[in-house]
Amino acid sequence: MAVHRVIAALLLVSAAGFPELTAAAADTVPDFSGPWGRNMFNFEPPDTGPGPIVNLRRLGADAGRSAADGDPIPLVGDYNNPILKPEAAAVVKKNGEYSESGHDVPDPSNQCGAYAPPFLFAIQQGMQMIQRKDDIVVLYTQNAQVRRIRLNSSHPRNLKPTPSGDSIGHYEGETLVVDTIGIKLEPYTVVDRFGTPQSEAMHVVERYRLIDAKDAQAALDRQVKTVGETAPIVPDRNYDKGLRVELTVEDPKVFTTPWKANVTYRRVIRGYNEGACAENNVDRFHLGDLKHVPTANTPDF
Amino acid sequence: MSKFSRSCLTATVSCAVAALLSSAQAQNNFLNDGNVAGLAKDVSIHNLAPDTQTSWVPDRPTGDDFLPPIDGSPGPVMSPKDRPYVPNGNGRQPTYRIADTSNPILKPWAKEQMEKANAEVRAGKVPYITRERCWPAGVPGFTVYTRVQPIHFYHGKKEITIINELNTQVRHIYMDVPHSKNPGHSWYGESVGHYDGDELVVDTIGLNDKTFVDNYRTPHTDQIHVIERFKVIEGGNILQSTVKVEDPGAFNMPWTGVQRWKRIARPLEEYLCEESNADFYGYDVVPIPTASKPDF
């Protein structure tokens, strides 16, 4: 069943040890290497200020219902959230109605697309960062997504948008700051699982820092009560640090204000499972036999 | 429609690059190698990525074929002499692959399956090619998955990660640990590695049977066991992997294939298979899916 395969693909990250700081990386930078996991979808609320869209259908008794065997609750984004401009609110409302009618709003996950920030933080539950002197490569478990962040660099002046956008980063003391622009708008490009739209002006800043593992667990517990658990993680109880990513999302064409969200991870010890999007989604698109190569009427070029 | 166009419909980006360069570089390679002279000098098997630019691309136009072993021992399935494989982008009429099923490594069922596929290709059908349908390569298919896009190595203390830029395929090599007791079966199986002198030895089990070992549609079972020995040669310019494949379910004997990559200067780039293929086939993939069930 496609749902189960997707969930299996999310069952996170590795036991055997992961790339750690290479010799090229200075001792002074924080070590984010190793497998990280969280056990739910969606952004966590920020410490203060405007926050992300939440599910109107996850309120009251439904708040903590499990999402592990297929989310039984429609994804109805709160279109009254004041961060939304009227046009964006209308899109969120429409997408909520679409979800309530039993359909899936297209997103990078269900369309096998590239996961750019901020969406990737709403869906990915396992990740591994490979820190090097001049770049960081981030591996995400779902659909084997890979992302490269150039360190101490700048965005190209004439940046051509790509589905993942252009990410640059630098360290500020114990914090890694990643700045992303240039996210190409695909038909499925959305901010979150509620189909919140974004424009080509999307600008995301991610701030990574290590936190106490207890604080990380508390944040995960709070979030599970709000959005339900997908698949449990197996935290490494000998590792006393968690990872906090603070997102700042700006898109003046869509949002009335910049808003923030948190994403929290714990060090996990489960094996890195694979996610092959084409496999998971084989039935979803009614492609029939994927090995069939259709005949085009016109050449590509 | 020419065969070139037909084949390129199935590998859009690769073919676009190939077509642009085919006349100018008829004999070799499809990418600018980048500023190779600017690469760090200290590349070795212990550090295949001494800088963020170093990556490795097959060193020949038919880089998605295994090379036969030098010692004449049982080798990979190749093309029959009367129907050689000709890749696109090299100035000659490209062909789809026909497998030489006289190779003695093949068990009867594998041979029979491949001859059926051969017959379909001979009849004009476009064959299944893993990379063009956005499926994972598996092992050892990973070794011959790409012709044009490089592979990238990331060395950690406990793991070596290899990313095949084509369709962003990721392998995790866990260093200096034994195989787990129950690795299960997955697309990339379980790979453990260690250094043996100047070679990196990678042992892989736990593979599913959904992949082919090569681009000749050579099947395997989940009993497959692959041992790769990577070595840097030719002054650090070439990375060579000698791949030994055992699978008593599919092969009469162990066999060995060789791959060679040349060092180029090109950082990891974004590559999205589904996007490349979605627009050109009339699939109803985007913008609105028609699934009856949610993912989660």
Side-chain angles (χ1 to χ4, degrees), chain B residues 6-269:
Chain B
R6 281 170 54 199
S7 66
C8 282
L9 285 167
T10 64
T12 311
V13 174
S14 303
C15 291
V17 174
L20 286 170
L21 300 178
S22 60
S23 58
Q25 295 174 274
Q27 290 307 310
N28 205 354
N29 285 324
F30 313 89
L31 287 174
N32 185 332
D33 286 357
N35 181 21
V36 177
L39 295 175
K41 304 298 181 194
D42 55 345
V43 67
S44 75
I45 195 62
H46 296 276
N47 190 2
L48 293 164
D51 49 62
T52 55
Q53 298 288 312
T54 289
S55 57
W56 303 86
V57 70
D59 71 342
R60 59 204 182 280
T62 55
D64 52 349
D65 270 357
F66 282 111
L67 297 165
I70 298 169
D71 62 6
S73 60
V77 170
M78 304 287 282
S79 302
K81 288 191 174 134
D82 65 342
R83 180 65 191 272
Y85 165 57
V86 179
N88 60 21
N90 72 351
R92 296 166 58 198
Q93 177 64 53
T95 62
Y96 286 125
R97 284 181 174 83
I98 296 286
D100 178 6
T101 56
S102 69
N103 191 316
I105 67 170
L106 297 172
K107 291 270 189 189
W109 72 267
K111 180 174 180 174
E112 183 181 347
Q113 177 178 318
M114 294 174 73
E115 285 177 346
K116 282 183 185 172
N118 275 354
E120 290 180 350
V121 177
R122 288 185 191 278
K125 186 175 177 181
V126 177
Y128 170 69
I129 301 173
T130 307
R131 63 173 182 252
E132 295 174 0
R133 307 310 313 143
C134 305
W135 286 92
V139 181
F142 185 94
T143 310
V144 287
Y145 196 59
T146 178
R147 293 170 55 212
V148 177
Q149 292 80 10
I151 60 175
H152 305 257
F153 287 80
Y154 300 89
H155 292 258
K157 289 176 184 170
K158 299 176 182 174
E159 177 189 324
I160 296 173
T161 307
I162 315 175
I163 299 176
N164 195 325
E165 189 171 300
L166 179 63
N167 302 348
T168 10
Q169 299 291 298
V170 181
R171 287 186 66 185
H172 301 266
I173 317 298
Y174 303 109
M175 296 300 291
D176 302 315
V177 294
H179 279 298
S180 44
K181 285 182 181 172
N182 298 300
H185 295 103
S186 58
W187 291 98
Y188 281 100
E190 181 182 78
S191 294
V192 297
H194 68 276
Y195 289 106
D196 181 8
D198 60 354
E199 292 187 337
L200 167 65
V201 184
V202 178
D203 189 295
T204 302
I205 59 172
L207 293 153
N208 69 30
D209 60 2
K210 298 177 184 177
T211 64
F212 294 120
V213 300
D214 55 24
N215 291 303
Y216 290 95
R217 306 168 295 276
T218 305
H220 64 87
T221 74
D222 59 13
Q223 300 174 60
I224 191 169
H225 175 204
V226 181
I227 302 171
E228 300 158 278
R229 300 185 78 92
F230 294 89
K231 187 175 188 178
V232 172
I233 57 176
E234 298 188 13
N237 294 317
I238 296 288
L239 173 65
Q240 178 174 289
S241 177
T242 302
V243 183
K244 182 181 178 185
V245 180
E246 299 174 321
D247 182 351
F251 304 123
N252 292 317
M253 62 198 81
W255 58 271
T256 302
V258 176
Q259 175 61 298
R260 288 165 53 99
W261 299 268
K262 68 173 180 176
R263 187 183 184 193
I264 63 171
R266 182 179 163 182
L268 180 65
E269 294 181 5

Side-chain angles (χ1 to χ4, degrees), chain A residues 130-144:
Chain A
I130 302 173
Q131 292 170 274
R132 304 196 298 183
K133 180 170 173 283
D134 296 320
D135 67 3
I136 295 174
V137 173
V138 192
L139 311 176
Y140 298 97
T141 51
Q142 190 185 125
N143 297 352

Side-chain angles (χ1 to χ4, degrees), chain A residues 121-299:
Chain A
F121 291 99
I123 197 91
Q124 292 285 4
Q125 295 170 83
M127 69 101 166
Q128 166 190 348
M129 298 173 76
I130 302 173
Q131 292 170 274
R132 304 196 298 183
K133 180 170 173 283
D134 296 320
D135 67 3
I136 295 174
V137 173
V138 192
L139 311 176
Y140 298 97
T141 51
Q142 190 185 125
N143 297 352
Q145 294 270 315
V146 174
R147 181 178 177 214
R148 179 168 178 257
I149 300 161
R150 302 188 314 282
L151 290 178
N152 305 316
S153 182
S154 55
H155 294 297
R157 184 171 296 174
N158 298 309
L159 180 60
K160 182 183 175 187
T162 58
S164 295
D166 187 67
S167 294
I168 57 174
H170 67 278
Y171 294 100
E172 292 180 1
E174 295 294 307
T175 301
L176 167 68
V177 183
V178 178
D179 188 291
T180 301
I181 59 171
I183 300 168
K184 182 182 175 186
L185 291 183
E186 301 286 358
Y188 51 76
T189 304
V190 288
V191 169
D192 51 31
R193 298 173 69 230
F194 311 113
T196 303
Q198 67 187 64
S199 80
E200 69 281 359
M202 173 60 79
H203 175 210
V204 184
V205 177
E206 305 150 39
R207 299 179 67 87
Y208 295 74
R209 63 187 171 88
L210 295 172
I211 61 174
D212 190 280
K214 289 178 183 171
D215 294 336
Q217 188 59 52
L220 294 179
D221 291 343
R222 281 196 301 274
Q223 181 73 348
V224 162
K225 287 178 182 171
T226 306
V227 303
E229 185 173 47
T230 50
I233 56 174
V234 180
D236 181 349
R237 300 195 184 283
N238 296 318
Y239 196 84
D240 63 358
K241 296 293 182 187
L243 179 62
R244 164 69 47 79
V245 185
E246 180 188 279
L247 302 174
T248 302
V249 180
E250 291 181 296
D251 188 339
K253 293 185 178 177
V254 173
F255 301 119
T256 57
T257 176
W259 54 272
K260 292 189 175 187
N262 286 340
V263 181
T264 307
Y265 302 91
R266 281 203 70 179
R267 169 57 44 85
V268 292
I269 57 176
R270 284 181 92 148
Y272 190 107
N273 277 6
E274 301 163 346
C277 192
E279 180 182 48
N280 293 332
N281 288 338
V282 62
D283 295 323
R284 291 178 47 75
F285 305 132
H286 308 291
L287 298 180
D289 178 5
L290 276 183
K291 296 179 182 179
H292 168 72
V293 177
T295 306
N297 294 321
T298 55

